[in-house]
Amino acid sequence: MPLVYPHQTLDSTRTSWHITFGTYGARLHGDDRPTVDKQYNQPGEDFVAASPRRKQFEREKMKFPPRYFTLEQRKFVEVQLPAICVRGGWSYRICAGGADHVHLLCDIRKEIHGEKVRRLVKRWVGQALSERWPLKQGESWWADEGSNIAIHDNSYLNNAFAYIARQRATLFEE
């Protein structure tokens, strides 16, 4: 029987954002999985094509090995994000800590862009991770950039909620 998630509705006083960011080195340009190179891609253009040569070039530029979360770290991220939303003044909806990326669905005051929130979330959750699992000097948890998608209709909002819920390290609880 498929899981049924609570129906989500937009908050007219805020903008809902689907924020995603990856761990360092886990997804490289040229990989089989799609990426966007902000230096070359414009909105609406195709993703960077798979290219073993480009992937190897990107791998050689890395300063330290790729970062992948353990199950314990994934669950830790999922526990931290609701409190981080409170700290930032955002309304938390759901999050998922994947092995190589994080999803957050939250509502933000209309005058604030999701990119600003993504940068703060990466900083704050990274600080929390580093307190528990210290990194070596110069290392990072995160890849550069990420994605911030503003949500303007209830259908997309409900699809995003279900998509994130299915990726959680911990079971979704209503």
Side-chain angles (χ1 to χ4, degrees):
M1 177 184 238
L3 291 174
V4 177
Y5 304 106
H7 183 73
Q8 303 293 303
T9 55
L10 294 170
D11 177 344
S12 63
T13 66
R14 295 176 166 242
T15 301
S16 296
W17 288 89
H18 180 184
I19 296 172
T20 306
F21 49 95
T23 59
Y24 178 83
R27 183 176 286 198
L28 302 175
H29 296 310
D31 193 349
D32 291 336
R33 298 173 300 166
T35 63
V36 172
D37 185 340
K38 290 189 177 188
Q39 189 173 8
Y40 300 104
N41 289 102
Q42 297 299 314
E45 290 183 350
D46 290 339
F47 294 113
V48 172
S51 165
R53 189 178 199 173
R54 174 127 190 231
K55 183 178 175 183
Q56 182 61 32
F57 173 76
E58 296 285 337
R59 180 172 281 127
E60 290 171 0
K61 292 190 323 186
M62 291 176 58
K63 298 176 183 163
F64 50 91
R67 179 113 18 241
Y68 294 96
F69 289 138
T70 64
L71 181 58
E72 181 182 10
Q73 289 168 328
R74 292 175 63 196
K75 290 178 179 180
F76 180 83
V77 167
E78 291 177 4
V79 167
Q80 295 299 311
L81 284 172
I84 285 172
C85 285
V86 169
R87 176 180 176 184
W90 317 310
S91 300
Y92 170 84
R93 286 185 185 263
I94 194 166
C95 71
D100 65 356
H101 67 286
V102 173
H103 288 285
L104 172 64
L105 188 60
C106 63
D107 298 337
I108 304 166
R109 288 191 341 250
K110 289 187 178 287
E111 63 272 14
I112 298 173
H113 195 279
E115 182 173 352
K116 179 178 182 178
V117 172
R118 177 179 45 82
R119 291 178 193 275
L120 288 170
V121 168
K122 286 171 72 173
R123 179 185 317 149
W124 293 342
V125 77
Q127 288 168 345
L129 284 160
S130 292
E131 286 177 16
R132 181 121 177 233
W133 296 279
L135 298 177
K136 293 178 184 172
Q137 182 68 30
E139 290 188 350
S140 172
W141 292 101
W142 311 119
D144 292 338
E145 302 301 330
S147 169
N148 343 287
I149 300 172
I151 300 174
H152 301 292
D153 67 77
N154 286 324
S155 176
Y156 185 105
L157 177 64
N158 282 280
N159 286 338
F161 188 97
Y163 175 78
I164 294 168
R166 289 190 302 269
Q167 295 186 52
R168 287 180 56 84
T170 52
L171 290 177
F172 173 76
E173 296 176 7
E174 206 172 322

